[in-house]
Amino acid sequence: MAGKKTAKKTKSLLWVLLVAALAVFVFSAYKIFSEVWQKQQEQNAFEELSQQIETNVVQPEKEDKTPEQLRLESYAQLKETNPHFVGWIKIDGTPLDYPVVHTPDNPEYYLRRAFDGSYAVSGTPFVGQGCTVDSTNVLVYGHRMNNETMFTTLLDYVEKSFWEEHKEIQFDTVDRLQRYEIVSAFYINIPQEGDEDAFYWYQYCGDISGEDFDYYVQQVKSHAYYDTGIEISEGDKLLTLTTCAYDSDSRRFVVVAKLKE
């Protein structure tokens, strides 16, 4: 009898463990599905904004206006919808195609917010502290997402072959259409406090000139994974894009580009 009772208890325990394991599996699967679904919904919202702009640009009833004028009109409409909107960033042939926002009093306001201000894991690309879209060096942050959205495309610039096929970045402001040519791409560790020899790239945004400008250019060139052949001179306007690395929370990937005249 004792043996049968022990076997029964063992069987019951196994059933309990099985149910518990199944519950954990179902909960984990639900969490993963919810996260994937949420990220896709966030991406869909950005794609709808992009589609609205492209649709406005080809309106047949506005043949008296150029595509450039219609695009700027679309930006003006977005500005009315969200006063934080300051530009649009896009790399042709890639998923990187997003509005850019700026909140000077709280630079990271959109770190986990969608364009409409609602909570979003993907956030919205935003201009960094200390600069504006009119600065000598405009710093723009964006997340690196596992679903290949937002600024994940930037990490592909580790390969020169990718740069050869995507050498330019479109970065329009509300009143100007602009294209930048990529100068440098590199991984870099976030400097530790007190490390005087480290390159604090994020501190060289805004209107930099003289020795600061020269130092920034020299560091950007020396950190580059390959030579793009693009030279920078004082007076050039720069765009610096930053996103997280895949392999470490303490590393970032940086792409620097120069405004084309």
Side-chain angles (χ1 to χ4, degrees), residues 211-250:
E211 292 183 357
D212 286 342
F213 186 89
D214 292 341
Y215 173 77
Y216 184 76
V217 172
Q218 184 271 323
Q219 289 293 318
V220 163
K221 286 284 193 177
S222 64
H223 280 79
Y225 282 125
Y226 44 82
D227 182 12
T228 62
I230 307 298
E231 298 299 327
I232 302 176
S233 303
E234 186 163 356
D236 288 334
K237 186 174 179 179
L238 306 179
L239 172 66
T240 300
L241 308 180
T242 299
T243 193
C244 296
Y246 273 115
D247 56 351
S248 172
D249 291 337
S250 62

Side-chain angles (χ1 to χ4, degrees), residues 189-198 200 202-203:
N189 291 324
I190 298 176
Q192 299 298 311
E193 185 176 354
D195 187 353
E196 297 180 357
D197 296 327
Y200 292 78
Y202 50 84
Q203 294 183 353

Side-chain angles (χ1 to χ4, degrees), residues 19-224:
V19 171
L22 182 61
V24 171
F25 172 79
V26 171
F27 178 75
S28 299
Y30 169 76
K31 292 287 288 183
I32 293 172
F33 173 80
S34 297
E35 183 177 340
V36 171
W37 182 85
Q38 180 179 354
K39 290 178 181 178
Q40 187 57 54
Q41 293 301 109
E42 293 168 5
Q43 178 63 17
N44 291 344
F46 284 121
E47 290 178 358
E48 287 179 8
L49 286 178
S50 177
Q51 188 58 46
Q52 287 175 18
I53 292 175
E54 298 306 320
T55 300
N56 289 340
V57 168
V58 295
Q59 291 185 71
E61 67 273 16
K62 293 187 177 181
E63 292 181 352
D64 59 322
K65 295 184 178 181
T66 66
E68 291 76 16
Q69 290 173 322
L70 292 174
R71 187 173 296 278
L72 290 176
E73 283 186 3
S74 296
Y75 293 157
Q77 292 170 8
L78 281 182
K79 186 72 171 178
E80 291 179 0
T81 302
N82 183 349
H84 297 151
F85 172 71
V86 293
W88 195 279
I89 189 165
K90 179 178 181 178
I91 299 178
D92 293 336
T94 79
L96 204 159
D97 185 13
Y98 299 102
V100 177
V101 291
H102 187 208
T103 49
D105 295 333
N106 185 6
E108 296 188 356
Y109 180 78
Y110 281 89
L111 185 68
R112 295 297 180 188
R113 283 185 170 87
F115 187 73
D116 64 3
S118 61
Y119 175 79
V121 176
S122 305
T124 303
F126 61 91
V127 175
Q129 184 176 11
C131 60
T132 70
V133 292
D134 297 315
S135 296
T136 304
N137 183 24
V138 186
L139 179 61
V140 179
Y141 292 95
H143 286 297
R144 185 271 303 164
M145 305 300 292
N146 292 331
N147 62 348
E148 304 297 318
T149 60
M150 304 308 293
F151 275 16
T152 305
T153 291
L154 297 182
L155 277 68
D156 291 330
Y157 280 106
V158 72
E159 300 292 341
K160 188 175 183 178
S161 58
F162 184 82
W163 165 76
E164 289 172 341
E165 296 180 359
H166 307 87
K167 292 185 177 182
E168 295 186 359
I169 301 171
Q170 174 187 329
F171 180 48
D172 302 332
T173 65
V174 176
D175 55 6
R176 296 189 306 276
L177 304 183
Q178 306 176 131
R179 294 192 75 86
Y180 288 73
E181 50 189 349
I182 293 173
V183 175
S184 174
F186 54 90
Y187 278 104
I188 188 169
N189 291 324
I190 298 176
Q192 299 298 311
E193 185 176 354
D195 187 353
E196 297 180 357
D197 296 327
F199 175 34
Y200 292 78
W201 79 96
Y202 50 84
Q203 294 183 353
Y204 290 85
C205 64
D207 293 324
I208 56 176
S209 60
E211 292 183 357
D212 286 342
F213 186 89
D214 292 341
Y215 173 77
Y216 184 76
V217 172
Q218 184 271 323
Q219 289 293 318
V220 163
K221 286 284 193 177
S222 64
H223 280 79

